[in-house]
Amino acid sequence: MSAEVWKEYESNEISHSVAHHLAAIYELMRDQGYARVSDVARALDITRGSASLTLKALKAKGLVVEDHNKFLKLSEEGKGIVDAILGNRAIVRKFLKDVLKLDE
């Protein structure tokens, strides 16, 4: 069984790091109306080079779009992934708070 779980994990395109990058773009767009590579790097407390490498891969997968002014936005597929991430996060928070009675 563990081999099957591992194969499923390996086939998952959305790593923890990718989820953070997508969520950072979403939050920057929501809060300030735009997102650049430097903004994502600052939000995630990583180097601009590291953010740039991950974002290049996300653009190649069609999850992030960059315009001619170097502003980033999420594609429809990228937005869908962020919606799923935020939905899962809300469920986990509700479980921790309401079921386990943990403080936020």
Side-chain angles (χ1 to χ4, degrees):
M1 178 169 163
S2 64
E4 290 176 29
V5 171
W6 185 252
K7 286 178 187 175
E8 184 178 328
Y9 175 78
E10 285 181 335
S11 68
N12 186 358
E13 292 183 32
I14 307 305
S15 68
H16 189 76
S17 175
V18 165
H20 280 289
H21 281 71
L22 294 174
I25 294 169
Y26 171 84
E27 291 167 0
L28 287 163
M29 293 290 298
R30 180 193 65 205
D31 296 345
Q32 62 188 33
Y34 63 92
R36 300 169 300 186
V37 173
S38 57
D39 300 317
V40 173
R42 195 174 311 107
L44 298 177
D45 196 26
I46 59 175
T47 66
R48 189 179 186 285
S50 179
S52 183
L53 285 173
T54 301
L55 292 168
K56 181 179 179 181
L58 294 178
K59 288 185 277 185
K61 289 181 180 182
L63 300 176
V64 174
V65 179
E66 185 177 50
D67 70 15
H68 65 282
N69 291 316
K70 304 292 184 184
F71 289 106
L72 304 168
K73 69 177 186 175
L74 298 173
S75 68
E76 288 302 314
E77 185 178 358
K79 287 177 193 173
I81 291 169
V82 170
D83 288 343
I85 291 167
L86 295 177
N88 289 339
R89 186 183 293 172
I91 291 168
V92 170
R93 282 189 175 151
K94 186 163 182 59
F95 174 76
L96 294 173
K97 182 181 173 197
D98 296 348
V99 177
L100 298 181
K101 306 294 185 197
L102 296 175
D103 292 333
E104 286 193 36

